[in-house]
Coordinates of all heavy atoms in Angstrom, one line a residue:
P191 N 7.3 28.2 -12.3 CA 6.0 27.9 -12.9 C 5.0 29.1 -12.7 O 5.1 29.9 -11.8 CB 5.5 26.7 -12.2 CG 6.2 26.8 -10.8 CD 7.6 27.4 -11.2
R192 N 4.0 29.1 -13.5 CA 2.8 30.0 -13.3 C 1.9 29.4 -12.2 O 1.2 28.4 -12.5 CB 2.1 30.3 -14.5 CG 2.9 31.1 -15.6 CD 2.1 31.5 -16.8 NE 2.8 32.3 -17.7 CZ 3.5 31.7 -18.7 NH1 3.5 30.4 -18.9 NH2 4.2 32.5 -19.6
W193 N 2.0 29.9 -11.0 CA 1.4 29.2 -9.9 C -0.1 29.0 -10.0 O -0.7 28.0 -9.6 CB 1.7 29.9 -8.6 CG 3.2 29.8 -8.3 CD1 4.1 30.8 -8.3 CD2 3.9 28.6 -7.9 NE1 5.4 30.3 -8.0 CE2 5.3 29.0 -7.7 CE3 3.6 27.3 -7.7 CZ2 6.3 28.1 -7.3 CZ3 4.5 26.3 -7.3 CH2 5.9 26.7 -7.1
S194 N -0.7 30.0 -10.7 CA -2.2 29.9 -10.8 C -2.5 28.8 -11.8 O -3.5 28.0 -11.6 CB -2.8 31.2 -11.3 OG -2.2 31.6 -12.5
D195 N -1.8 28.6 -12.9 CA -2.0 27.5 -13.9 C -1.7 26.2 -13.2 O -2.4 25.2 -13.4 CB -1.1 27.7 -15.1 CG -1.5 28.9 -15.9 OD1 -2.7 29.3 -15.8 OD2 -0.7 29.4 -16.7
L196 N -0.6 26.1 -12.4 CA -0.3 24.9 -11.7 C -1.4 24.5 -10.7 O -1.8 23.3 -10.7 CB 1.0 25.1 -11.0 CG 1.6 23.9 -10.3 CD1 1.9 22.7 -11.2 CD2 2.9 24.2 -9.5
A197 N -1.9 25.5 -10.0 CA -2.9 25.2 -9.0 C -4.2 24.8 -9.7 O -5.0 23.9 -9.2 CB -3.2 26.5 -8.2
R198 N -4.5 25.4 -10.9 CA -5.7 24.9 -11.6 C -5.6 23.5 -12.0 O -6.6 22.7 -11.9 CB -5.9 25.8 -12.9 CG -6.6 27.1 -12.6 CD -6.6 28.0 -13.9 NE -6.8 27.3 -15.1 CZ -6.2 27.5 -16.2 NH1 -5.3 28.4 -16.3 NH2 -6.4 26.8 -17.3
R199 N -4.5 23.1 -12.5 CA -4.3 21.7 -12.9 C -4.5 20.7 -11.8 O -5.1 19.7 -11.9 CB -2.9 21.5 -13.5 CG -2.7 22.2 -14.8 CD -1.5 21.7 -15.6 NE -0.2 21.9 -15.0 CZ 0.5 23.0 -15.2 NH1 0.0 24.0 -15.9 NH2 1.7 23.2 -14.6
V200 N -4.0 21.1 -10.6 CA -4.2 20.2 -9.4 C -5.6 20.3 -8.9 O -6.2 19.2 -8.6 CB -3.2 20.7 -8.3 CG1 -3.4 19.9 -7.0 CG2 -1.7 20.5 -8.8
L201 N -6.2 21.5 -8.9 CA -7.5 21.6 -8.3 C -8.6 20.8 -9.1 O -9.5 20.2 -8.6 CB -7.9 23.1 -8.3 CG -9.3 23.4 -7.7 CD1 -9.4 23.0 -6.2 CD2 -9.7 24.9 -7.8
I202 N -8.4 20.8 -10.5 CA -9.4 20.1 -11.3 C -9.3 18.6 -11.0 O -10.3 17.9 -11.0 CB -9.1 20.4 -12.8 CG1 -9.4 21.9 -13.1 CG2 -9.9 19.5 -13.7 CD1 -10.8 22.3 -12.7
V203 N -8.1 18.1 -10.8 CA -8.0 16.7 -10.5 C -8.5 16.4 -9.1 O -9.2 15.3 -8.9 CB -6.5 16.2 -10.6 CG1 -6.3 14.8 -10.1 CG2 -6.0 16.4 -12.0
E204 N -8.3 17.3 -8.2 CA -8.9 17.2 -6.8 C -10.4 17.0 -6.9 O -11.0 16.1 -6.3 CB -8.5 18.3 -6.0 CG -7.0 18.4 -5.6 CD -6.6 19.6 -4.9 OE1 -7.4 20.6 -4.9 OE2 -5.4 19.7 -4.4
I205 N -11.0 17.9 -7.6 CA -12.5 17.9 -7.8 C -13.0 16.6 -8.4 O -13.9 15.9 -7.9 CB -13.0 19.1 -8.6 CG1 -12.7 20.4 -7.8 CG2 -14.5 19.0 -8.9 CD1 -13.0 21.7 -8.6
T206 N -12.3 16.2 -9.5 CA -12.7 15.0 -10.2 C -12.5 13.8 -9.3 O -13.4 12.9 -9.3 CB -11.8 14.8 -11.4 OG1 -11.9 15.9 -12.3 CG2 -12.2 13.6 -12.2
A207 N -11.4 13.6 -8.6 CA -11.2 12.5 -7.7 C -12.2 12.4 -6.6 O -12.7 11.4 -6.2 CB -9.8 12.5 -7.2
L208 N -12.4 13.6 -5.9 CA -13.3 13.6 -4.8 C -14.8 13.3 -5.2 O -15.6 12.9 -4.3 CB -13.3 15.0 -4.1 CG -11.9 15.3 -3.4 CD1 -11.9 16.8 -3.0 CD2 -11.8 14.4 -2.2
V209 N -15.1 13.5 -6.4 CA -16.5 13.1 -6.9 C -16.5 11.7 -7.4 O -17.4 10.9 -7.0 CB -16.9 14.1 -8.0 CG1 -18.3 13.6 -8.6 CG2 -17.1 15.5 -7.5
F210 N -15.5 11.3 -8.1 CA -15.6 10.0 -8.8 C -15.3 8.8 -7.9 O -15.9 7.8 -7.9 CB -14.7 9.9 -10.0 CG -14.8 8.7 -10.8 CD1 -15.8 8.5 -11.7 CD2 -13.8 7.6 -10.7 CE1 -16.0 7.3 -12.4 CE2 -14.0 6.5 -11.4 CZ -15.1 6.3 -12.3
R211 N -14.2 8.9 -7.0 CA -13.8 7.8 -6.2 C -14.9 7.3 -5.3 O -15.2 6.1 -5.1 CB -12.5 8.1 -5.5 CG -11.3 8.3 -6.3 CD -11.1 7.4 -7.4 NE -11.0 6.0 -7.0 CZ -10.7 5.0 -7.9 NH1 -10.7 5.3 -9.2 NH2 -10.7 3.8 -7.5
P212 N -15.6 8.3 -4.6 CA -16.8 7.8 -3.7 C -17.9 7.2 -4.6 O -18.5 6.2 -4.1 CB -17.2 9.1 -3.0 CG -16.0 10.0 -3.0 CD -15.3 9.7 -4.3
F213 N -18.1 7.8 -5.8 CA -19.2 7.2 -6.6 C -18.9 5.8 -7.0 O -19.8 4.9 -7.0 CB -19.3 8.1 -7.9 CG -20.1 7.4 -9.0 CD1 -21.5 7.4 -8.9 CD2 -19.4 6.8 -10.1 CE1 -22.2 6.7 -9.9 CE2 -20.2 6.2 -11.1 CZ -21.5 6.1 -11.0
V214 N -17.6 5.5 -7.4 CA -17.3 4.2 -7.9 C -17.3 3.1 -6.7 O -17.4 1.9 -7.0 CB -16.0 4.2 -8.6 CG1 -14.8 4.1 -7.7 CG2 -15.9 3.0 -9.7
R215 N -17.1 3.6 -5.5 CA -17.2 2.7 -4.4 C -18.7 2.3 -4.1 O -19.0 1.2 -3.7 CB -16.7 3.4 -3.1 CG -15.2 3.3 -2.9 CD -14.8 3.5 -1.5 NE -15.3 4.7 -0.9 CZ -14.7 5.9 -0.9 NH1 -13.5 6.0 -1.5 NH2 -15.2 6.9 -0.4
E216 N -19.6 3.3 -4.4 CA -21.0 3.0 -4.2 C -21.6 2.2 -5.4 O -22.6 1.4 -5.3 CB -21.8 4.3 -4.1 CG -21.5 5.1 -2.8 CD -21.8 4.3 -1.5 OE1 -22.9 3.6 -1.6 OE2 -21.1 4.5 -0.5
V217 N -21.0 2.4 -6.6 CA -21.5 1.7 -7.8 C -20.3 0.9 -8.4 O -19.7 1.4 -9.4 CB -22.1 2.7 -8.8 CG1 -22.7 2.0 -10.0 CG2 -23.1 3.6 -8.1
P218 N -20.0 -0.2 -7.8 CA -18.8 -1.0 -8.4 C -19.1 -1.4 -9.8 O -20.2 -1.7 -10.2 CB -18.8 -2.2 -7.5 CG -19.5 -1.8 -6.2 CD -20.6 -0.9 -6.7

């Protein structure tokens, strides 16, 4: 695999999850 492209796909999900999951716990 192209490791930079693979890392980008994972990193974007990491950022999304780390922002959204705490938000949805505070705002059910």
Side-chain angles (χ1 to χ4, degrees):
R192 295 187 177 91
W193 293 108
S194 57
D195 291 339
L196 183 62
R198 275 172 42 217
R199 294 198 290 276
V200 174
L201 182 63
I202 293 307
V203 176
E204 292 171 349
I205 294 172
T206 303
L208 289 171
V209 173
F210 185 78
R211 298 315 301 181
F213 164 78
V214 83
R215 278 202 307 269
E216 295 296 326
V217 187

